[in-house]
Every structure is written in C-alpha cells, then in structure tokens.
Amino acid sequence: QVQLGESGGGLVQAGGSLRLSCTASGRTISSGAMAWFRQAPGKEREFVAAISRSGGTTSYPDSVKGRFTISRDNAKNTVYLQMSSLKPEDTALYYCAAKPSLLAGTVTDKNEYVYWGQGTQVTVSS
C-alpha cells in the first residue's frame, strides 16, 4: 500500500512559478512510474506529467511542455512538479499518482495509476 501526500499548491499570479511535491509513505516510490494529473471544476481529470522509475524518461502534454518539469528523488521518496510561466487555465486541483508495477517508461492514462493523493489546489490569477 502507498499513501501519497501533495504539497506546494497556492495562489500565484499569471507568469509566476510554483513547485509541487508529492511524498510517498508505506512503500517506496522507486518501484515504478509516477505522474501528476489535474482537474478543474466541471472538467475531466487530465494528464500533466509522468516520470519513469529511473527518472530517465518523462512525458508531457503539449499544453504544459516547456513550462512544467517533473523530477523525482527516490532516496527521499518524493516527486516534484516545477511549474513556470503559469496561466489562468492551469488553475486546478493537482493530484500525484503512482503505478508501482511499471518498471520502465511512462503511461499517460489515468486509469493505469493505482495510488492517488488527495490533491493540492493551484490557482493562477490573471
């Protein structure tokens, strides 16, 4: 069993930056892929970033590519999401997710992820 806890969300002006953290407990995250998703009110949960077990492979949708960076520190059991050049449309509840069984590569489908955190709110004002 893995428990995930996100932190780092908040209110920021457009063009600003935030760094989200996701710390795992109960089981090491180094066993598989990790990802970030987000969900705005009235919308479906959407993929934001994913990172492979080793950290050597990352994936992003076009909407955040070049602005967001996912990274991980397996020794600290933590995954990060560095967000820059934030836009009002980035406003959402951001979730961390884990897929312990994926030993290589990444997946972008939210249905593939087994463990989820409670989310941290990111609000970008214009």
Side-chain angles (χ1 to χ4, degrees):
Q1 191 74 12
V2 176
Q3 292 81 44
L4 302 175
E6 303 95 335
S7 62
L11 174 64
V12 64
Q13 287 189 329
S17 299
L18 280 175
R19 189 176 82 154
L20 306 183
S21 299
C22 170
T23 300
S25 59
R27 180 177 173 180
T28 177
I29 65 167
S30 63
S31 60
M34 300 290 295
W36 289 93
F37 290 80
R38 67 187 181 187
Q39 188 166 18
K43 295 187 177 182
E44 296 229 346
R45 191 169 299 189
E46 64 174 357
F47 169 69
V48 174
I51 189 166
S52 62
R53 177 189 183 193
S54 68
T57 301
T58 57
S59 300
Y60 306 93
D62 288 343
S63 58
V64 308
K65 196 172 293 183
R67 299 189 298 123
F68 291 10
T69 302
I70 188 172
S71 60
R72 66 191 297 165
D73 185 337
N74 288 341
K76 294 183 178 179
N77 245 11
T78 301
V79 177
Y80 305 97
L81 184 68
Q82 178 67 46
M83 305 185 294
S84 304
S85 301
L86 282 161
K87 305 174 181 179
E89 51 263 45
D90 294 319
T91 295
L93 191 59
Y94 282 71
Y95 296 91
C96 175
K99 182 175 173 63
S101 62
L102 188 61
L103 303 184
T106 61
V107 292
T108 63
D109 183 351
K110 60 181 180 292
N111 297 310
E112 294 284 334
Y113 286 86
V114 178
Y115 301 105
W116 292 84
Q118 294 299 308
T120 185
Q121 179 67 38
V122 172
T123 302
V124 184
S125 64
S126 57

